[in-house]
Amino acid sequence: MSPHLPSTTLRPSQIWASARRVGVARPSRGSARNYARVAPAARPSPRTVGSPFDVAVIGGGITGLCAAYSACLYSGEQLRVMLYESSDRLGGWINTKHVDVGSGAAVFETGPRSLRPQGVSALYTSDLIQCLSIDKDVLTTPKTFPGARNRFVYYPDHLVPLPGPGRPFMRSISDLLFEPAFTGLFGALAGECFRPPRPPELLDESVGSFISRRFSPHMADNLVSAFVHGVYAGDLYKLSMRSLAPFFWRQETKHGSIVKGLLDTSATSMNVSRRDYNVLKHVREDGGFPFSAYRHASQLSFRHGIGWLTQNLERKLKSDDNCVVRTGSKVTSIQYDESTQAINVVSNNQRRAFRHVICTVPGKVFSSMVNPNIPQLAEIPSVSVMVVNLHYHDPNLLPVQGFGYLIPRSIPMKQNPERALGVVFDSDAIIGQDTASGTKVTVILGGHWWDEWPVYPDEEEAASMARAVLLRHLNITAEPTAIHVSLQRDCIPQYTVGHFDRLAAAHDYVSDRFHGRLTLAGSSYNGVSVNDCIRAGVDAAHGVKAPGPRKPTGLESALDESDWVTIPIPTAG
C-alpha cells in the first residue's frame, strides 16, 4: 500500500525547522613543466586554542553559509559555530558583478545565474528566501515569457527550436520530422519498450551508453549531450546514469523499460525517493508548499543578482554572536581525538576542538585534510569552465528570443572550434536587473572539452573566442560595450560511473573514522545545483541536532537510493 500524504491547504512552511534526513575532484591541470621535489621547511606544531564552539563549518560557499545559518540562527537549540573559508570572500562560485556600461549598470553572473522553483530541493530555497526577508527582491521569469518558452540547440549549423509550449504544435511536428537534430527520434521512442533490459550484473553505466542502448546513439549525441553540457559541462559517456537520473534508471530496473514504466504510472501519483518523501511528509505536516508563490515561474533571481542571496546570508552570520566567520583561513587537517571524542581542526597553525564538523569543500579537498586520505572521494573529478559575459548597446541584437541555446557533442568541429558549451540570452532569461538597456549574453566555454588542454586561454583570448562563437552562430558583428571574463577552475563535480558506490564506501569510512561527528555536504555528493547545495547545508545542520551520539555523514542517500515511494501528485491552490 502506498503511503499517503495528508491533505492540507497550502501555505508557507517552516521547512528549515522540520525537514530532517534520517538518514572523485580531478587534480588541477598545470603546465607540462616538471618540478623537483623539495623537502618542505619544518613547521612548528599547531598551537591548541581553547574553543567554546560546538560546530565547525568548513567552506564558505552557498552550502557552508546555509549550514552555518541553520545551525546557529534558525532552528531549535542554538549552536556556537565557527565558519572557515580559505579565500578572502564568501559565496563560493556564486559571484555577481555590477558593471558600468555607460548608460547604466549591467549585472554579470560569473557563476550560477538563476534558481529553478521546481523540485523538492527548491522548497528549501523558497523558505530561505522568506527567512532572510528578501522575497521582495525576487525577480521571476513567468512560464509564458519567451525566456521560459523558447529554448534551442545548435545543430549542425543553425539554431533548432526544442518542442515546447512556446512553439506552435504543427511547427513542432515539422521540426521533429525534418530537422536533422531529431532524426530517428520517433522510432527510438517507439522501439524502446521492445528492447531487452540491462543484465542484472550491470550496476551502473554512463548516460551516453544508457540512452544509446535504450533509445539511439543519435538521440544521445545530438540531444542528451546538449542537456548534459548545460547542467554538468560534462561528457555523457563518463557520467553516471544511476546517479544523474535515478528515476529513469529505476524504471528500467522495475519494468524493464522506461516507456513501460511511464505508462504504468498513474496520472494522479508519482514516484519519489525515500529521501524526498521524508521532506514532503514534513512539509505537508507543517502546512504546505512554500514555493507555491512561484509556481507560475520557470526561474527566478534577484534585482541585485543571485549574489544577493549569499550577501544576505553573510550579513546575518556576521551580525550574530553565535557565529564567527574566518576568511583567509585554510583548513589543513581534520582529525578525530579518541581521548576527548572531539574533532581537531587545524587552520593557520592553530588547532581547535569541535563537537561536530560540517565539511562543504570538494571531496578531493576534504580527502587531503584527513590522514590517511579517502581514495573514494579523491576520485571525484571536476571540470573547469570559462564564463564570458557580454553587453551590447542594441536591445534588439538577437535573431530570436528565448533562454538561449546548448551545443551538443556531435556538432562539427568547424562550427565549434572554441569548444563552447552554450550561450545564455540573459536579457530574456531574467528581466529587471539592469539599469541600462541593451542586449546581454553569456558564452560558456570549456568543461570536459578542455580536460586535456595543458593551459587555458587568457582573458583576451577567451573574449575573442566568445565573440567568434556569436559571430558564427548568431551573426553578431557589433562591438560589445562591456566584456567580463572569468575562469571557474574545477567548479562542477562530475558524477562518473560508480559514483554511488564510491559514496557508499566513503560513508562507511567517515562514519567509522569520525564516530558520527563529521558530516559531508556540497556539490561533490548529492547534486550540483544551487537548490541542491542549499538543501545539503540545511540537512547537515539538522543532522548535527539529531538525537544520539552518531550523526549522519551526509552520504546516506547512496545507501538507500533504490528505496522509492509512490505518493499522490501535490497540487497547488
Side-chain angles (χ1 to χ4, degrees):
M1 181 175 178
S2 300
H4 188 81
L5 298 179
S7 176
T8 63
T9 300
L10 304 185
R11 62 177 178 80
S13 75
Q14 296 297 311
I15 190 169
W16 281 49
S18 66
R20 293 170 177 80
R21 182 165 13 152
V22 180
V24 171
R26 177 185 298 272
S28 298
R29 297 183 306 280
S31 67
R33 294 173 292 184
N34 295 319
Y35 294 89
R37 293 185 177 272
V38 179
R43 293 183 179 181
S45 299
R47 180 169 59 91
T48 300
V49 180
S51 176
F53 295 90
D54 301 294
V55 179
V57 175
I58 302 174
I62 184 63
T63 308
L65 290 171
C66 289
Y69 177 65
S70 184
C72 72
L73 288 175
Y74 195 74
S75 62
E77 170 198 5
Q78 286 189 329
L79 300 173
R80 292 275 289 161
V81 176
M82 180 170 285
L83 173 65
Y84 293 93
E85 167 55 39
S86 61
S87 72
D88 60 358
R89 59 172 292 272
L90 300 177
W93 299 118
I94 295 177
N95 192 4
T96 302
K97 304 289 186 181
H98 296 266
V99 178
D100 183 3
V101 295
S103 58
V107 171
F108 284 170
E109 301 289 2
T110 68
R113 61 200 55 251
S114 61
L115 302 167
R116 290 188 61 80
Q118 291 87 28
V120 173
S121 295
L123 301 179
Y124 289 75
T125 303
S126 173
D127 207 60
L128 172 61
I129 290 171
Q130 295 180 44
C131 293
L132 294 173
S133 300
I134 56 175
D135 48 310
K136 63 184 180 301
D137 301 315
V138 169
L139 294 175
T140 62
T141 302
K143 294 179 180 179
T144 56
F145 277 31
R149 296 166 68 93
N150 302 331
R151 296 169 187 261
F152 305 85
V153 295
Y154 190 88
Y155 183 86
D157 58 1
H158 60 279
L159 294 182
V160 179
L162 293 175
R167 190 76 171 159
F169 177 75
M170 293 308 298
R171 292 291 300 275
S172 294
I173 294 296
S174 176
D175 291 340
L176 291 171
L177 288 173
F178 301 112
E179 276 288 353
F182 303 119
T183 297
L185 183 61
F186 284 123
L189 295 173
E192 192 274 339
C193 58
F194 301 104
R195 294 185 173 88
R198 66 175 178 270
E201 64 271 16
L202 184 60
L203 302 181
D204 197 1
E205 68 180 313
S206 71
V207 175
S209 173
F210 181 92
I211 298 298
S212 297
R213 180 173 57 80
R214 295 304 320 165
F215 298 98
S216 73
H218 195 278
M219 179 176 175
D221 292 343
N222 289 1
L223 299 176
V224 179
S225 71
F227 169 79
V228 171
H229 281 171
V231 178
Y232 301 96
D235 183 350
L236 81 165
Y237 287 100
K238 293 181 180 179
L239 297 177
S240 163
M241 185 70 185
R242 180 179 157 202
S243 300
L244 268 58
F247 173 80
F248 295 110
W249 182 263
R250 181 180 177 276
Q251 292 300 309
E252 187 187 22
T253 301
K254 184 177 180 181
H255 301 279
S257 161
I258 296 175
V259 172
K260 288 179 182 178
L262 295 175
L263 293 175
D264 188 57
T265 303
S266 167
T268 59
S269 64
M270 66 180 185
N271 295 319
V272 299
S273 67
R274 177 69 63 175
R275 176 173 177 249
D276 285 350
Y277 169 75
N278 289 337
V279 174
L280 292 172
K281 181 175 181 293
H282 283 297
V283 171
R284 279 289 195 178
E285 290 171 351
D286 276 4
F289 290 86
F291 235 60
S292 60
Y294 307 127
R295 65 183 181 273
H296 298 302
S298 68
Q299 57 187 335
L300 60 88
S301 184
F302 303 93
R303 298 186 188 280
H304 306 290
I306 202 74
W308 191 240
L309 183 63
T310 54
Q311 290 173 33
N312 277 272
L313 280 167
E314 179 179 353
R315 175 178 56 82
K316 286 283 190 180
L317 291 175
K318 288 184 175 179
S319 66
D320 193 272
D321 293 337
N322 289 319
C323 184
V324 171
V325 176
R326 291 196 165 180
T327 56
S329 298
K330 181 180 180 180
V331 172
T332 55
S333 175
I334 305 173
Q335 299 295 332
Y336 180 77
D337 189 329
E338 294 281 356
S339 62
T340 62
Q341 296 185 343
I343 296 184
N344 292 325
V345 174
V346 177
S347 174
N348 295 343
N349 209 38
Q350 290 187 348
R351 179 190 295 113
R352 286 183 180 271
F354 295 90
R355 193 176 74 187
H356 197 93
V357 170
I358 299 173
C359 189
T360 70
V361 298
K364 177 181 174 63
V365 177
F366 166 69
S367 178
S368 70
M369 295 175 178
V370 299
N371 186 22
N373 294 348
I374 306 175
Q376 295 87 358
L377 300 184
E379 293 170 1
I380 302 176
S382 59
V383 296
S384 303
V385 298
M386 188 78 81
V387 179
V388 184
N389 309 97
L390 304 99
H391 180 273
Y392 296 87
H393 177 72
D394 184 357
N396 302 308
L397 190 66
L398 296 172
V400 294
Q401 286 186 302
F403 181 83
Y405 66 93
L406 296 171
I407 304 173
R409 73 188 307 272
S410 54
I411 187 174
M413 173 66 77
K414 66 179 181 180
Q415 289 295 332
N416 191 26
E418 300 82 9
R419 289 316 195 190
L421 299 165
V423 176
V424 181
F425 302 160
D426 296 296
S427 304
D428 293 337
I430 295 291
I431 299 173
Q433 291 179 327
D434 303 332
T435 59
S437 63
T439 296
K440 187 172 64 176
V441 298
T442 300
V443 181
I444 302 174
L445 306 161
H448 75 99
W449 290 128
W450 289 5
D451 279 350
E452 306 305 323
W453 288 26
V455 293
Y456 295 133
D458 60 27
E459 292 188 9
E460 184 177 350
E461 292 170 333
S464 296
M465 294 166 71
R467 294 190 63 188
V469 171
L470 297 177
L471 173 61
R472 188 183 308 110
H473 294 177
L474 303 177
N475 197 31
I476 293 178
T477 60
E479 287 287 331
T481 52
I483 301 179
H484 185 274
V485 179
S486 54
L487 174 62
Q488 309 294 3
R489 195 178 292 271
D490 294 326
C491 62
I492 306 179
Q494 302 291 285
Y495 300 171
T496 54
V497 174
H499 180 72
F500 270 149
D501 292 333
R502 287 189 287 273
L503 294 190
H507 163 81
D508 294 339
Y509 181 99
V510 170
S511 180
D512 294 342
R513 180 71 183 279
F514 293 94
H515 302 271
R517 293 188 178 275
L518 186 142
T519 301
L520 298 176
S523 60
S524 286
Y525 312 112
N526 295 308
V528 302
S529 74
V530 175
N531 288 338
D532 292 330
C533 291
I534 291 172
R535 177 180 183 176
V538 177
D539 282 347
H542 282 295
V544 173
K545 300 179 181 182
R550 297 183 74 89
K551 312 300 184 182
T553 66
L555 306 179
E556 284 76 12
S557 61
L559 305 179
D560 61 358
E561 45 97 12
S562 62
D563 186 11
W564 287 61
V565 179
T566 301
I567 64 171
I569 295 177
T571 57

